[in-house]
Amino acid sequence: MASPDPLFSVRNNFYLGAYQTAISDASSLTGLSEDQKLERDTFVYRSYVELGSYEMVLSEIPADAPPPLAAVRQLASYHKAGPSPSSPVPDALEAGLSDGALSSDPTYLYVTALVRFLRGDAAGALRLAGPARTLELLALSVQVMLSLHRPDAAERQLRAMAAIDDDATLTQLAGAWVALAAGGPRVREAASIYQELGDRFAWTPRLHAGLASAQACMGRWEEAEAELLQAVEKNPKDPDSLANLAVVSLHLGKPAGRYLGVLKDVAPSHALLERRAAAEEAFDRAASGITA
């Protein structure tokens, strides 16, 4: 019988989006090996990055940290700088791939692939994540494939995840993403996955938002609104929950200005705001042409 995984709760809560819980659970762990301590610290600092504590991460992780922590340090630096084309982080990550210790580390590969994806280089992200055989890199490749409207390829990557561990939370989440993208009767499958994960572990903004997306796809706008309100109650600054709540409010004939205003404060470059700004600009150009 395999021995219990002391880091399961930390890792699992991170993937569910329960970042503060992951940090708290990590603080109570004892008797870890050196490798386990490194993995624990990696997930703790990744949780702080997700919570926006970039300065703290940069101040506590030294420049000569081991590969996984070095990757997290670069990720904090990237997010701190925002979507700046002049950020030195992408070049630093790419340069690190020539270092055997870095290029063989799953966390370093994940962060490098993620930054490529965030910068619009989906093909580059897939070159790192696609051939990988870790759940996290495969999950990222699923996200990239879905962003490219390739549900068939995402399904293949999901099968590879299931072959490694079909009951893992990350595999279940990826299954929900794929089911949502497939639409139709599979939306119910996605809703069931989010419901089961929430009931089994803990309801987080990520799970509420996922279930809300499934409810919206089924035309259940009131139920979707209820889930998103719970997500925002748990994290009033969650960008995707705010964006989805604005969209759902419009479908229900309710004002969405409050949610858009908060979204603009916490994530001014969010895709919804950029699409809205582009639409308003196009409208203004068309209106000026008519009046002229």
Side-chain angles (χ1 to χ4, degrees):
M1 180 182 296
S3 58
D5 179 2
L7 293 171
F8 172 80
S9 179
V10 175
R11 195 184 302 111
N12 200 59
N13 278 307
F14 176 83
Y15 293 138
L16 290 170
Y19 304 117
Q20 193 59 59
T21 304
I23 294 168
S24 298
D25 287 352
S27 68
S28 64
L29 294 177
T30 59
L32 301 178
S33 68
E34 291 303 312
D35 286 345
Q36 289 171 336
K37 289 178 182 177
L38 179 58
E39 184 178 0
R40 174 201 62 193
D41 292 346
T42 299
F43 275 102
V44 165
Y45 284 118
R46 287 180 66 182
S47 295
Y48 278 118
V49 169
E50 294 295 335
L51 292 171
S53 300
Y54 311 133
E55 286 287 1
M56 187 274 285
V57 173
L58 292 170
S59 68
E60 292 193 7
I61 299 180
D64 60 349
L69 291 179
V72 178
R73 192 178 197 280
Q74 292 282 22
L75 185 61
S77 181
Y78 178 79
H79 284 305
K80 180 188 174 186
S84 170
S86 61
S87 171
V89 171
D91 288 342
L93 287 169
E94 297 296 334
L97 292 175
S98 62
D99 182 315
L102 296 176
S103 63
S104 62
D105 181 75
T107 301
Y108 193 89
L109 289 175
Y110 174 82
V111 169
T112 305
L114 176 62
V115 169
R116 285 183 180 183
F117 183 41
L118 293 174
R119 288 170 61 85
D121 183 10
L126 285 173
R127 283 195 294 273
L128 289 180
R133 283 300 174 263
T134 68
L135 287 179
E136 194 164 32
L137 282 162
L138 287 168
L140 178 58
S141 71
V142 169
Q143 290 179 308
V144 176
M145 288 300 187
L146 292 177
S147 76
L148 296 173
H149 307 291
R150 289 290 310 278
D152 55 329
E155 287 272 12
R156 287 196 296 271
Q157 298 299 77
L158 178 61
R159 287 196 293 272
M161 294 180 70
I164 296 172
D165 188 346
D166 62 350
D167 193 46
T169 292
L170 205 49
T171 304
Q172 294 297 308
L173 286 171
W177 306 335
V178 171
L180 267 179
R186 293 197 62 187
V187 172
R188 292 183 181 275
E189 175 188 337
S192 296
I193 292 172
Y194 286 121
Q195 186 74 48
E196 181 182 347
L197 287 173
D199 292 344
R200 180 180 177 187
F201 298 113
W203 281 97
T204 63
R206 176 172 295 174
L207 295 180
H208 282 301
L211 181 54
S213 295
Q215 299 285 19
C217 288
M218 293 185 285
R220 300 173 180 172
W221 297 105
E222 290 83 2
E223 291 89 340
E225 180 188 39
E227 293 296 333
L228 290 168
L229 287 172
Q230 291 185 72
V232 171
E233 181 179 352
K234 288 181 170 68
N235 182 3
K237 296 183 179 181
D238 182 61
D240 290 336
S241 295
L242 288 165
N244 290 338
L245 196 48
V247 173
V248 169
S249 295
L250 291 173
H251 274 279
L252 292 173
K254 297 181 179 181
R258 177 187 302 173
Y259 305 122
L260 291 171
V262 178
L263 180 62
K264 188 174 182 179
D265 288 338
V266 301
S269 60
H270 193 278
L272 177 66
L273 295 177
E274 292 183 347
R275 290 196 300 268
R276 185 168 181 259
E280 289 176 346
E281 183 180 345
F283 177 83
D284 290 342
R285 285 199 304 269
S288 64
I290 293 174
T291 56

